[in-house]
Amino acid sequence: MGMDEMFGWATKTAPRYMADTSAASDGAALKTRGLLAGGHVATAMGWRPVEAIAAGDLILTFDNGLRPVIEVRREMFRVADMMAPASYASVMVPAGALGNSQDLELLPDQGVLIESEAACDAHGDPFAIVPAKALVGYRGIARSICAAQIEVITLVFEGAQVIYTQGGALVHCPPAEVRLSDFGLKNDVYDVIPVKEARFLVECMMLEDANGMAA
């Protein structure tokens, strides 16, 4: 059985990725990027919960087919007797908004691959990786109150990858930490567009949707 039949989608053409700056984290103790436990990722065995993934499992990537996970990092965060800052609020993506067949919850700085005519006009490439928080307002995507306890799963590959989650949404998995021997070298073939520029792209995408509905 082919990948299209296993996961129920039509294959996309791999993009040429734009390069420039990467997004900055909101900082502080609570992570603002990574995959939340409860979501599913596409593997050689079909869709599996991200928390069930172990080192050595094969994950379906957007550009490079099946690739093994070399490390799985699990971190639990709790908010005790206080409200988490609004900057930590997760991003709720309703089913269908980003090609996902089920609702998807993302951390605010998690990179998401989008396709946009505006990105092509601005950079010569229709594909771009943007922070999830930049997508708020697009197709019903909204911020949600941070849960009192979350488990963040980080899948580490030999290099950066974009993987499928929750039925078809595409998320960015950055490479492991830069080694001293790599200092000064670009170790991620993908670049997450800064929030301000990403918001402009998303606003253009919203106009594209509106014009499509009016046509």
Side-chain angles (χ1 to χ4, degrees):
M1 181 170 63
M3 290 295 179
D4 291 354
E5 298 165 280
M6 178 183 294
F7 297 105
W9 59 51
T11 302
K12 292 184 179 180
T13 302
R16 175 179 64 78
Y17 290 91
M18 63 188 81
D20 257 329
T21 59
S22 58
S25 169
D26 281 337
L30 180 62
K31 289 193 68 172
T32 56
R33 69 187 68 189
L35 302 177
L36 291 168
H40 290 71
V41 296
T43 76
M45 303 300 292
W47 294 104
R48 293 186 61 201
V50 65
E51 61 269 27
I53 302 301
D57 287 350
L58 294 174
I59 306 297
L60 183 62
T61 70
F62 186 56
D63 290 299
N64 302 303
L66 292 168
R67 286 291 181 269
V69 173
I70 62 172
E71 182 184 354
V72 179
R73 301 173 184 172
R74 305 171 189 276
E75 299 170 90
M76 189 73 72
F77 296 93
R78 297 179 178 85
V79 180
D81 302 323
M82 61 177 286
M83 290 293 292
S87 57
Y88 294 133
S90 58
V91 176
M92 301 302 297
V93 182
L98 298 176
N100 48 310
S101 60
Q102 304 171 37
D103 291 348
L104 171 63
E105 183 178 6
L106 297 169
L107 290 177
D109 285 309
Q110 173 58 49
V112 181
L113 182 69
I114 55 94
E115 183 177 4
S116 164
E117 290 182 8
C120 188
D121 291 341
H123 303 277
D125 190 333
F127 294 91
I129 294 178
V130 301
K133 62 188 177 187
L135 292 162
V136 171
Y138 177 66
R139 296 182 177 178
I141 297 174
R143 297 298 284 265
S144 177
I145 296 174
C146 184
Q149 176 174 302
I150 62 171
E151 183 180 7
V152 180
I153 313 294
T154 301
L155 302 182
V156 181
F157 298 86
E158 189 65 37
Q161 301 291 345
V162 168
I163 67 172
Y164 295 86
T165 184
Q166 231 43 9
L170 290 157
V171 298
H172 176 231
C173 293
E177 290 81 2
V178 178
R179 298 168 296 185
L180 288 177
S181 59
D182 294 332
F183 186 76
L185 300 176
K186 180 177 173 58
N187 72 328
D188 190 346
V189 297
Y190 305 102
D191 290 283
V192 181
I193 294 177
V195 175
K196 184 176 180 179
E197 183 180 347
R199 278 300 308 168
F200 173 76
L201 289 181
V202 172
E203 289 169 5
C204 291
M205 290 163 61
M206 294 167 69
L207 287 175
E208 290 170 7
D209 275 5
N211 290 337
M213 292 177 63

